[in-house]
Amino acid sequence: MTKPAGRRTQRPPRVFVLDCEALSLAVRGDRRMIAWIDLAARGEAEVVTSPMTLVEAYDGRTTEQRWDWVLSRLKVADIGKDETRQARRLLADAKLHGHKYAIDAVLAVIARQQKGQVTVFTSDVDDLERLLPDSIVVKKV
């Protein structure tokens, strides 16, 4: 059976969620991270992170221009009471707690809210795999 003319099967959108290390690599000009971010600039993906990740990734050695360039290519998710409540529940379900996991839990909530093919780029693969469903890809940076 053939598809009707003029109808294309659209792929679900690609969404990349960046943790602190992934964002830091992008700001420092890591070629692999820049290649992923460039997909967003071309409209082939969306790149998302949390406001806390921006603070955590800050490095005073990097120029404001470099930060501005990377930030212009990503979306910073809004975090409110509902998201923090969801993050607390994720931590409780995974039997995790404390500041070591707090930002990862918020990032997991953000990743779960995205529509499409979601990939989380992280240095904390084990932690995020505990907080995310199997439908979300966790990729080591």
Side-chain angles (χ1 to χ4, degrees), residues 26-116:
V27 171
R28 291 192 314 257
D30 177 81
R31 289 180 189 202
R32 287 182 300 157
M33 284 311 305
I34 295 300
W36 292 111
I37 289 176
D38 279 345
L39 291 176
R42 294 193 310 258
E44 297 176 31
E46 186 172 293
V47 181
V48 184
T49 195
S50 80
M52 295 173 315
T53 302
L54 295 178
V55 176
E56 184 184 21
Y58 174 73
D59 178 349
R61 298 172 294 181
T62 307
T63 67
E64 282 297 314
Q65 293 85 1
R66 190 70 191 166
W67 272 99
D68 290 345
W69 183 86
V70 172
L71 292 177
S72 72
R73 284 155 172 75
L74 59 86
K75 173 183 154 193
V76 179
D78 291 328
I79 302 299
K81 289 180 187 179
D82 290 338
E83 290 80 13
T84 57
R85 186 176 296 116
Q86 292 170 40
R88 285 194 330 263
R89 287 181 185 143
L90 286 176
L91 289 175
D93 291 346
K95 297 186 180 9
L96 301 172
H97 69 280
H99 72 276
K100 180 178 189 287
Y101 305 104
I103 295 175
D104 287 344
V106 171
L107 206 63
V109 168
I110 291 168
R112 288 167 172 260
Q113 291 175 337
Q114 305 308 306
K115 305 290 185 238

